[in-house]
Amino acid sequence: MSTGPGTASAPAPDGHDDPTTPDAPRKTSMFASLRVRNYRLFFMGQVVSNIGTWMQRIAQDWLVLSLTGSSAAVGITTALQFLPMLLFGLYGGVLVDRLRKRPTLLVTQSSMAVTALFLAVLTLTGHVQVWHVYVAAFAMGLATVVDNPARQSFVSELVGRDQLQNAVSLNSANFQSARLVGPAVAGLMITGVGTGWAFLANGLSFVAPLSCLLLMRARELHAVERAPRGKGQLREGLHYVAGRPELIWTIVLVGFIGTFGFNFPVFLSAFADDVFDAGAGAYSLFNTLMAVGSLAGALLAARRGTARLRVLIAAALAFGALEMVAATAPRLWLFALLMVPIGVFSMTVNVTANTSIQMSTDPAMRGRVMALYMMVFLGGSPVGAPIVGWVTDAYGARAGFAAGGAVAATAALVIGLVLARVGNLRLSVGWHRGHPQVRFVPRERRKELAPAA
């Protein structure tokens, strides 16, 4: 990552972002960034809030399915939640680059708490209708337009560049740890006392991150120059990304995967309800097992300490292939077990893409670049969720899940070849310390890196 004001050329490659580097990945302490007091507070607040978020996600999907009996309706709910990111995400990034991150997060987190409490009141009083859920999902999405890029870019202010990969990975581990608890508790609440209590729990959970933000020491934050108010900043951000292949192609890849491969509310609810006829308990189980794998993937990323494009491409290929395999699983137990490796590779894609983009971006541009990344990654759901929901309703859950995996795997393969061509690389197959090694190397190094006999 360049520390200057930004130029039209890509940052000079170094050991952590050069996909051709033959050295082993740099290891770091798994919990190194937790030594930073401000980040530790941020982490603690997110633990509580993330549990509430997962409870609401499960309750929201199941409530819509109960009210309508339609997987397409679940897809529409997901689409409405992420539609604001697609429409306004870039403008949110411009605002984030101009504003101080901590006060911004206090506003966005408060608005999300109010939205959750509003939905809780409607559900607990028995007045909820599906259009209420649609409105609440859209309102939550509006807050996310600013909240997501602000939270993503705020991490670098908390820990600095040296521990950015570790902090991003621990954030993901945090989110996935909550995914272990949230769906399980939500499943008990749905079957025991109803979905409204899950919405109430999420609304109250925002007290934790708000309190932790207020307890942070401003003097210990890593200062980042804010972008001045001016014209053409949105266009400047797009031009910045367009001139850097390692940014634009990574964003394109996560766009395809986020749009078609990550529609788990549609896929998993359909498998639980239609394929295996197992109800909300199975849906919670699928999410919980995927969270186990995602947590493992995040912790492995925290240990790795590097973000390489070859890791991203390989993980995306594996993710798509596993989705296609899971789509054919004949038994519930086998489908459930496959959620673990799917979680591992989905989180590897997520963390590697997020970290490589942040570390390759100038600080003054980070809000806009991360907004574009989140807009493509999350904003693709308004396009993908109704499509895969329609495919699932029309041709069955297995066809929908397999199609999502096929798109993810194909995108990874094509973009991997494009990046290799842009970087003038070739595939090298050989042996390293007694083990087979497959990697991309510069074409001019063909002779010196020829596979060993």
Side-chain angles (χ1 to χ4, degrees), residues 262-342:
F262 273 23
N263 283 288
F264 296 116
V266 178
F267 297 140
L268 301 187
S269 62
F271 266 85
D273 194 44
D274 299 332
V275 177
F276 299 119
D277 193 25
Y283 182 47
S284 294
L285 174 65
F286 296 157
N287 280 278
T288 300
L289 289 174
M290 186 175 291
V292 171
S294 298
L295 176 59
L299 292 176
L300 288 172
R303 284 281 294 169
R304 239 187 342 261
T306 58
R308 300 187 180 199
L309 291 179
R310 69 186 184 195
V311 174
L312 174 62
I313 298 298
L317 272 170
F319 169 77
L322 282 167
E323 281 201 337
M324 289 187 283
V325 171
T328 66
R331 297 286 186 271
L332 186 150
W333 66 266
L334 180 57
F335 182 84
L337 287 179
L338 284 169
M339 293 301 101
V340 177
I342 286 175

Side-chain angles (χ1 to χ4, degrees), residues 38-342:
N38 281 343
Y39 179 74
R40 191 162 60 248
L41 284 168
F42 180 81
F43 186 90
M44 291 166 56
Q46 292 300 306
V47 167
V48 179
S49 181
N50 285 337
I51 291 174
T53 297
W54 275 111
M55 291 174 65
Q56 172 143 337
R57 284 192 178 188
I58 301 299
Q60 176 179 279
D61 296 339
W62 202 256
L63 176 62
V64 171
L65 194 63
S66 300
L67 291 172
T68 66
S70 169
S71 294
V74 178
I76 290 171
T77 307
T78 304
L80 287 171
Q81 187 158 337
F82 296 119
L83 181 62
M85 181 65 72
L86 181 63
L87 297 177
F88 313 116
L90 290 175
Y91 296 98
V94 172
L95 284 174
V96 168
D97 278 337
R98 292 176 182 173
L99 301 173
R100 290 187 299 158
K101 306 300 185 297
R102 188 163 61 140
T104 300
L105 288 171
L106 286 169
V107 173
T108 58
Q109 296 276 296
S110 297
S111 63
M112 294 166 82
V114 171
T115 302
L117 292 173
F118 169 75
L119 189 57
V121 170
L122 286 175
T123 307
L124 289 172
T125 57
H127 294 97
V128 70
Q129 299 178 35
V130 68
W131 72 268
H132 293 142
V133 186
Y134 289 164
V135 170
F138 187 77
M140 195 74 75
L142 285 174
T144 302
V145 167
V146 176
D147 186 78
N148 258 340
R151 277 191 297 108
Q152 297 288 336
S153 53
F154 188 46
V155 174
S156 64
E157 296 187 25
L158 292 170
V159 301
R161 184 185 189 280
D162 291 343
Q163 299 191 64
L164 181 59
Q165 159 92 7
N166 182 261
V168 169
S169 300
L170 288 181
N171 280 353
S172 299
N174 183 333
F175 191 66
Q176 300 308 323
S177 297
R179 192 175 179 181
L180 292 172
V181 179
V185 177
L188 292 174
M189 282 191 170
I190 291 170
T191 56
V193 294
T195 56
W197 293 100
F199 299 139
L200 178 62
N202 181 46
L204 296 176
S205 73
F206 283 97
V207 172
L210 290 171
S211 300
C212 290
L213 284 167
L214 292 171
L215 289 171
M216 289 180 184
R217 296 169 182 164
R219 65 181 182 276
E220 295 179 8
L221 295 174
H222 293 256
V224 173
E225 181 181 357
R226 283 182 283 154
R229 186 180 183 87
K231 295 182 179 180
Q233 291 179 322
L234 179 57
R235 185 169 57 253
E236 180 187 7
L238 293 174
H239 178 73
Y240 179 88
V241 172
R244 290 161 170 77
E246 78 281 5
L247 294 181
I248 187 65
W249 287 112
T250 298
I251 290 173
V252 169
L253 175 58
V254 299
F256 274 106
I257 294 175
T259 300
F260 298 103
F262 273 23
N263 283 288
F264 296 116
V266 178
F267 297 140
L268 301 187
S269 62
F271 266 85
D273 194 44
D274 299 332
V275 177
F276 299 119
D277 193 25
Y283 182 47
S284 294
L285 174 65
F286 296 157
N287 280 278
T288 300
L289 289 174
M290 186 175 291
V292 171
S294 298
L295 176 59
L299 292 176
L300 288 172
R303 284 281 294 169
R304 239 187 342 261
T306 58
R308 300 187 180 199
L309 291 179
R310 69 186 184 195
V311 174
L312 174 62
I313 298 298
L317 272 170
F319 169 77
L322 282 167
E323 281 201 337
M324 289 187 283
V325 171
T328 66
R331 297 286 186 271
L332 186 150
W333 66 266
L334 180 57
F335 182 84
L337 287 179
L338 284 169
M339 293 301 101
V340 177
I342 286 175

Side-chain angles (χ1 to χ4, degrees), residues 253-254 257 262 311-317 319 344-354 373 377:
L253 175 58
V254 299
I257 294 175
F262 273 23
V311 174
L312 174 62
I313 298 298
L317 272 170
F319 169 77
V344 171
F345 287 108
S346 68
M347 187 50 53
T348 303
V349 170
N350 194 344
V351 171
T352 305
N354 187 313
Y373 168 76
F377 186 45

Side-chain angles (χ1 to χ4, degrees), residues 356-439:
S356 64
I357 286 175
Q358 290 209 51
M359 296 185 73
S360 300
T361 303
D362 289 327
M365 301 293 296
R366 190 169 286 138
R368 278 163 283 183
V369 173
M370 292 309 298
L372 178 61
Y373 168 76
M374 298 305 297
M375 184 191 77
V376 172
F377 186 45
L378 299 179
S381 291
V383 177
I387 293 174
V388 300
W390 175 80
V391 172
T392 299
D393 281 342
Y395 300 101
R398 295 188 186 279
F401 205 18
V407 170
T410 302
L413 181 61
V414 171
I415 291 172
L417 294 174
V418 168
L419 286 171
R421 185 175 182 84
V422 169
N424 194 29
L425 305 175
R426 67 175 182 85
L427 188 66
S428 172
V429 180
W431 291 86
H432 179 69
R433 296 180 180 176
H435 299 285
Q437 184 179 63
V438 179
R439 59 196 175 105

